[in-house]
């Protein structure tokens, strides 16, 4: 099963202004909430059960939950558009019910959820590369593109769970596994550069 979360950060380069006028000191900002640990999708680093660190929801009939995300940072600097899109996994929100259910087959099912997230992150990178953005009207154009991609991603994740019966239909699970791996190969041009191994 997959839990979906969309992260979007927007950075627009603002013109530089002179020093601010002196006024009353604003109250201190509340302490920043710590960002959760995220694993960025990597062909070299598949998920392990140790990555699933959340406590399972009591009474949930599922055996595991993957929280995968598509995060995007976009911006314009001197009217030049730039973007970074990542498929990420959130360990603190992902869980496996019991050691007895933590099988290799179930882990493979959860990995395909994450792989499918990377397929759509690549689709978003491809769409961003093909689109000419007007930095004055960046937000609405980007939002439309992101909504379209997220909607497609969510529908396909749901179809994957239904058709594979959450990994219990072994024939369908294998078919999805092969299909997603093929799509990753076909979209390799839009993969992020992997860091070199030490």
């Amino acid at each position: 099963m997959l839990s979906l979360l969309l992260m979007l950060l927007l950075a627009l380069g603002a013109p530089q202004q002179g020093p601010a006028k002196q006024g009353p000191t604003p109250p201190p900002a509340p302490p920043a909430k710590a960002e959760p640990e995220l694993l960025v999708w990597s062909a070299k680093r598949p998920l392990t059960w140790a990555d699933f660190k959340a406590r399972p929801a009591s009474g949930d009939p599922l055996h595991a939950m993957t929280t995968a995300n598509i995060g995007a940072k976009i911006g314009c600097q001197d009217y030049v558009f730039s973007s970074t899109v990542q498929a990420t996994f959130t360990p603190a929100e992902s869980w496996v019910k019991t050691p007895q259910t933590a099988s290799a087959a179930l882990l493979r099912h959860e990995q395909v959820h994450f792989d499918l997230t990377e397929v759509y992150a690549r689709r978003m990178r491809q769409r961003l590369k093909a689109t000419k953005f007007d930095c004055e009207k960046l937000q609405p154009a980007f939002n439309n593109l992101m909504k379209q991609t997220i909607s497609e991603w969510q529908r396909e994740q749901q179809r994957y769970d239904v058709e594979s019966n959450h990994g219990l239909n072994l024939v369908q699970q294998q078919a999805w596994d092969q299909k997603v791996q093929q799509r990753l190969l076909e979209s390799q041009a839009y993969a992020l550069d992997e860091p070199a191994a030490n």
Side-chain angles (χ1 to χ4, degrees), residues 112-131:
V112 174
H113 272 301
F114 195 21
D115 293 346
L116 197 50
T117 303
E118 172 64 11
V119 167
Y120 279 88
R122 291 180 186 187
R123 181 172 290 183
M124 186 63 190
R125 290 180 206 125
Q126 181 179 13
R127 288 174 172 169
L128 288 171
K129 189 172 183 176
T131 304

Side-chain angles (χ1 to χ4, degrees), residues 21-49:
K21 294 179 183 172
Q22 292 296 325
T25 305
K33 223 166 114 174
E35 291 293 321
E37 170 195 8
L38 298 176
L39 300 177
V40 176
W41 186 93
S42 169
K44 298 176 183 175
R45 203 278 191 197
L47 296 173
T48 69
W49 282 127

Side-chain angles (χ1 to χ4, degrees), residues 141-154:
F142 175 79
N143 285 350
N144 289 337
L145 207 57
M146 195 67 168
K147 281 181 193 173
Q148 177 188 355
T149 304
I150 295 301
S151 177
E152 292 167 358
W153 170 55
Q154 290 173 333

Side-chain angles (χ1 to χ4, degrees), residues 20-135:
K21 294 179 183 172
Q22 292 296 325
T25 305
K33 223 166 114 174
E35 291 293 321
E37 170 195 8
L38 298 176
L39 300 177
V40 176
W41 186 93
S42 169
K44 298 176 183 175
R45 203 278 191 197
L47 296 173
T48 69
W49 282 127
D51 297 324
F52 292 71
K53 297 180 179 178
R55 295 181 92 163
S58 62
D60 196 311
L62 298 172
H63 293 296
M65 175 71 71
T66 289
T67 298
N69 314 293
I70 297 176
K73 293 181 184 180
I74 62 169
C76 283
Q77 187 68 40
D78 297 327
Y79 294 95
V80 176
F81 174 78
S82 65
S83 65
T84 303
V85 178
Q86 292 182 322
T88 60
F89 173 90
T90 310
E93 297 174 14
S94 302
W95 51 264
V96 61
K97 191 164 273 184
T98 64
Q100 292 79 13
T101 61
S103 67
L106 181 58
L107 182 59
R108 186 69 210 143
H109 175 79
E110 299 304 316
Q111 179 66 53
V112 174
H113 272 301
F114 195 21
D115 293 346
L116 197 50
T117 303
E118 172 64 11
V119 167
Y120 279 88
R122 291 180 186 187
R123 181 172 290 183
M124 186 63 190
R125 290 180 206 125
Q126 181 179 13
R127 288 174 172 169
L128 288 171
K129 189 172 183 176
T131 304
K132 301 282 188 228
F133 285 100
D134 177 349
C135 288

